[in-house]
Amino acid sequence: MTAPFFDLSGRAKLRITGSDRLRFLNGQVTNDVRKASESAAIEACVLSAKGRMNGHVFLSAGQDCFLADADPELREVLLARLERYVIADDVQIEDVTDRLSIFHVLAPTRPAAGDGWRLVSARRFTESGWDVWIDAKLHDVVARQLSSAFRFLDAASAEVFRVEEGIPRWGRELTEEIIPIEANLEGRAIDYEKGCYIGQEVISRIKMSGQTNKRLCGLVSLRDAPLSTGMKLTATGEKSKEAGWITSATRSERLGKEIALAYVKRGFNSAGNGLDAIKLEDPSIIAHVEIVHLPFAC
């Protein structure tokens, strides 16, 4: 099947310049910014002092800058959060959201670059792909060029694919109440060997204990009953034992199943465990679900 591509042009984009930009960013994010290059992006989290999420970004390097992109909801708050810590640093942060567009091609091999393309390897899903950074004026032209070689997934199809891949998203699985380890981001977005950053103490303490209060899990509806965002999870047959909640849900035609992503509390979140999913608006609607490993198996 032809490799898919996605239009990520709506994402917030920041350009960070200044002689202190590397040191500054390494004090703000969970991953080691030294690993970001002009040809490869890293994934990272921006945290509060309590280790909770302030943002989720991808970072790559330019000749004289770093470029960060994040969910559109974070456009203003992420800029304000980073600027709050620019004190005596030679660092400038510029919002370039409207000037640049991004496409993502989920293919193992580097696509042939067109005029004005900046190709960056990035792991936005379970497999690595390629970000195509361009001037926003070239958006429609490049969209047509990519469509001739790859299969475009619109926003609705991309959302189904994201859930199938078990990838957390800001506003659903990622909020200011979540610690990144709970969202399974430790292997993707956290470097435990780098220097200090805001929130590091909490992250290191969780790593040492090896425990979290909850974890992001995959759910499959056992009787193919529809699942929906916000459904409460309880122990099977015991409504008083709350076990978590559903953050994203969809029908996967590729898997032939009703599936969901959910935060499930410790003690309930082992693969194979059965739970009840209860609709808050009508508690008589109950779907029986089973916890499965992420990503969902095809």
Side-chain angles (χ1 to χ4, degrees):
M1 183 180 290
T2 306
F5 81 97
F6 309 81
D7 188 349
L8 307 182
S9 299
R11 287 176 66 80
K13 308 170 198 75
L14 301 178
R15 184 173 183 265
I16 302 99
T17 58
S19 60
D20 295 328
R21 63 187 182 276
L22 174 59
R23 181 182 58 79
F24 170 77
L25 283 173
N26 253 343
Q28 301 299 317
V29 304
T30 55
N31 212 338
D32 190 342
V33 181
R34 291 173 296 184
K35 295 186 292 187
S37 69
E38 293 186 43
S39 59
I42 63 167
E43 185 176 357
C45 302
V46 181
L47 306 181
S48 70
K50 294 183 178 180
R52 301 187 184 277
M53 302 280 292
N54 282 163
H56 175 251
V57 301
F58 283 83
L59 281 164
S60 60
Q63 289 185 348
D64 59 351
C65 68
F66 285 103
L67 287 169
D69 68 271
D71 188 272
E73 290 182 31
L74 290 168
R75 180 172 181 176
E76 294 182 4
V77 295
L78 181 60
L79 177 60
R81 159 63 178 79
L82 291 174
E83 286 186 332
R84 188 184 316 145
Y85 289 91
V86 178
I87 302 173
D89 306 281
D90 178 18
V91 171
Q92 297 81 43
I93 306 174
E94 181 185 8
D95 184 341
V96 293
T97 301
D98 298 329
R99 288 164 42 190
L100 299 171
S101 290
I102 309 173
F103 293 95
H104 182 74
V105 179
L106 191 57
T109 56
R110 176 187 172 96
D115 292 339
W117 294 23
R118 177 174 172 264
L119 285 173
V120 179
S121 173
R123 184 178 170 227
R124 293 184 182 266
F125 298 99
T126 55
E127 301 295 332
S128 291
W130 300 88
D131 287 347
V132 181
W133 287 76
I134 53 168
D135 188 296
K137 296 176 182 178
L138 298 174
H139 176 276
D140 292 350
V141 172
V142 173
R144 288 193 294 270
Q145 291 174 332
L146 289 171
S147 295
S148 67
F150 304 101
R151 174 173 49 97
F152 176 61
L153 291 190
D154 61 17
S157 299
E159 178 65 4
V160 173
F161 185 78
R162 177 190 72 83
V163 176
E164 291 172 340
E165 293 271 293
I167 302 299
R169 166 188 157 192
W170 190 264
R172 292 291 185 88
E173 293 71 36
L174 304 179
T175 72
E176 292 186 344
E177 301 302 315
I178 296 299
I179 295 170
I181 296 173
E182 297 173 332
N184 303 325
L185 291 174
E186 63 266 42
R188 301 170 59 94
I190 298 175
D191 188 310
Y192 289 104
E193 305 299 323
K194 61 168 285 185
C196 296
Y197 57 88
I198 295 170
Q200 182 190 33
E201 183 178 347
V202 175
I203 300 302
S204 297
R205 189 163 61 243
I206 293 175
K207 181 178 186 293
M208 292 292 291
S209 70
Q211 292 186 333
T212 59
N213 292 328
K214 56 186 177 293
R215 274 280 185 175
L216 185 64
C217 299
L219 302 180
V220 172
S221 180
L222 292 178
R223 298 174 187 170
D224 214 31
L227 304 176
S228 59
T229 300
M231 291 182 88
K232 180 176 70 173
L233 301 174
T234 66
T236 303
E238 301 183 64
K239 292 185 178 181
S240 62
K241 290 189 177 181
E242 294 192 14
W245 67 95
I246 290 178
T247 54
S248 297
T250 192
R251 171 74 185 179
S252 171
E253 297 301 335
R254 181 161 60 96
L255 303 176
K257 298 175 181 178
E258 298 285 335
I259 62 173
L261 299 178
Y263 279 109
V264 185
K265 295 180 180 180
R266 187 170 70 228
F268 296 94
N269 56 19
S270 298
N273 193 31
L275 297 170
D276 287 342
I278 302 173
K279 199 172 184 66
L280 295 179
E281 300 85 351
D282 186 353
S284 67
I285 299 177
I286 301 176
H288 303 292
V289 299
E290 179 181 330
I291 296 175
V292 298
H293 292 294
L294 292 173
F296 290 91
C298 297

